[in-house]
Amino acid sequence: MEVGGAYSNTKAQVSALETLRKELPDLTAPSQPTPKRAKPGRTRRLRDDQVQQLIEGYKSGSTVYELGDQFGIERRTVSAILHRHDIPMRRRGLTTEQIDDAVRLYNQGWSLTRIAARMDVAAGTVRQRLHERGVPIRDTHGQPRAGEAR
């Protein structure tokens, strides 16, 4: 019968525990402040001359995304500014030929996102046009959605 066994010489175990203890934070020291999250910012307010530049940029063909990047604001803010100044919005959408192509690509297994990227529109736009054509939309695993025909 072995007396003590693995626990008879605890020097190595104590040393290992001391090493681990040194890696733990000091509980007597004041705690570090938690990193501050960015507060939801207020919309960046453009000066009147910048608003005019934005409007002229849109009228000359820039997209709301490009203008948002240029002025450091969200595209929704760009749209709000244009609406506030009664500037008619361009609707890009898809042509009949593009919708036909989207249906074909989707039926070949392309994702909505991939088709949208190819046609430079939002995936939701592609989804809506396919839905209007009666195309059953697949789930994220490529399977027909519940309740839709297979």
Side-chain angles (χ1 to χ4, degrees):
M1 179 166 133
E2 188 176 325
V3 177
Y7 300 107
S8 61
N9 185 1
T10 60
K11 192 173 191 176
Q13 293 170 334
V14 170
S15 177
L17 286 172
E18 285 295 324
T19 303
L20 286 172
R21 188 186 62 78
K22 289 177 185 173
E23 293 178 17
L24 294 172
D26 182 8
L27 298 177
T28 61
S31 64
Q32 296 290 327
T34 56
K36 298 204 185 224
R37 290 188 203 173
K39 293 180 182 172
R42 294 185 61 175
T43 302
R44 183 169 170 251
R45 185 141 180 105
L46 299 181
R47 299 184 314 266
D48 289 340
D49 63 314
Q50 290 176 311
V51 169
Q52 289 308 310
Q53 287 175 353
L54 183 143
I55 291 170
E56 291 307 314
Y58 187 76
K59 286 180 176 179
S60 66
S62 295
T63 67
V64 292
Y65 293 95
E66 293 166 342
L67 292 167
D69 289 343
Q70 179 181 342
F71 290 97
I73 58 178
E74 288 222 8
R75 63 128 182 113
R76 291 177 293 195
T77 306
V78 173
S79 295
I81 291 169
L82 295 171
H83 284 290
R84 199 175 312 131
H85 289 86
D86 296 321
I87 306 300
M89 300 295 291
R90 295 187 301 268
R91 301 283 181 213
R92 289 192 7 137
L94 295 172
T95 64
T96 304
E97 294 78 23
Q98 287 175 312
I99 297 169
D100 293 340
D101 196 29
V103 169
R104 182 181 55 77
L105 293 171
Y106 191 74
N107 286 334
Q108 289 177 358
W110 284 41
S111 69
L112 294 172
T113 303
R114 186 174 173 199
I115 297 169
R118 177 181 176 139
M119 298 185 177
D120 197 25
V121 295
T125 300
V126 174
R127 185 183 192 291
Q128 184 63 36
R129 298 297 86 78
L130 294 178
H131 179 73
E132 289 169 358
R133 290 277 183 98
V135 176
I137 304 300
R138 300 182 299 265
D139 68 11
T140 56
H141 302 289
Q143 302 300 315
R145 292 194 180 271
E148 293 201 24
R150 291 187 185 251

